[in-house]
Amino acid sequence: MPLPKFKLCSAGDSHSKRERRKEARPGELLEAALDLFVEKGFAATRAEEVAARAGVSKGTLFLYFGSKEELFKAVVRENISGRFTEWEGELNTFTGTSAELMAYAMRSWWERVGMTKASGITKLMMSEARNFPEIAEFYQQEVILPGRQLIRRILERGVARGEFRPLDMDHAVYCVMAPMIFLMMWRHSVGACAPTDFEMSPERFIDQQIDLLVDGLQTRAPGAAPSSPAP
């Protein structure tokens, strides 16, 4: 009977595999941390749990991230705040109307953040920010302020082009943000487990919100009535 053939690995092959595994570990740790932060919250998540889920030791985790707080910040940058550069680029090159830009921004937010696990970070921050002022300040600087500025730029673009009526910008920004925050909170709380009289569709919710926002933002001739809602 012929002997089975085995592929012999050289020392270089073994070293290469170890290097690939080492390079993969930060990403695996961030993914495990995101899962646990969303499932359990910041306070209840322990570093050793993150390491175990990623298949490494606690010591390895701290080689990459000096503390649980630094790990959380890396998760936010990887999954949420890192998106603002691409959004800013898209805003700068968008050629459609401001109403179309607002619709695009809200739908792309849902596709890139809202429908992902990362949207659970919003619920975490709403429930735990007062107990962890350092990460609350970080989230304010990395997510809330850039998000506000991005929405403000869209609104100001519409006003400057005569497409939107004059607005109280400081508060109009929150009128755009609030329904999206509701959608994330609903998705990761009551909406995840409690029966309702109908199944909420996030996409339909966003479409309806866009319709309401755009109708309220658009300029009209004096005495003109609001447009009729879509059937």
Side-chain angles (χ1 to χ4, degrees), residues 66-187:
S67 64
K68 188 171 74 168
E69 288 76 11
E70 291 305 313
L71 176 62
F72 177 81
K73 292 176 182 179
V75 167
V76 172
R77 290 187 175 115
E78 176 72 15
N79 293 279
I80 305 177
S81 59
R83 298 285 189 182
F84 285 110
T85 299
E86 62 192 79
W87 276 321
E88 288 285 351
E90 290 169 1
L91 189 156
N92 291 336
T93 58
F94 195 88
T95 58
T97 67
S98 298
E100 291 168 341
L101 178 55
M102 179 67 76
Y104 174 78
M106 294 176 75
R107 290 184 180 119
S108 65
W109 165 85
W110 175 251
E111 292 168 359
R112 300 176 199 181
V113 177
M115 69 182 295
T116 73
K117 287 182 291 187
S119 61
I121 296 295
T122 298
K123 176 177 175 290
L124 181 156
M125 293 305 308
M126 296 288 279
S127 60
E128 300 191 64
R130 288 180 64 87
N131 295 326
F132 299 97
E134 179 185 342
I135 65 169
E137 174 63 21
F138 164 81
Y139 194 79
Q140 173 82 356
Q141 295 298 322
E142 291 275 334
V143 178
I144 297 175
L145 293 181
R148 279 171 40 192
Q149 184 59 29
L150 195 67
I151 295 169
R152 189 183 188 106
R153 284 189 61 194
I154 296 172
L155 295 173
E156 289 176 341
R157 178 186 191 269
V159 173
R161 290 161 61 115
E163 298 168 335
F164 295 164
R165 60 187 177 81
L167 302 164
D168 175 352
M169 286 293 173
D170 291 335
H171 293 89
V173 166
Y174 285 107
C175 291
V176 177
M177 293 175 64
M180 312 311 283
I181 294 173
F182 158 77
L183 191 57
M184 290 186 288
M185 295 294 289
W186 177 269
R187 181 171 182 262

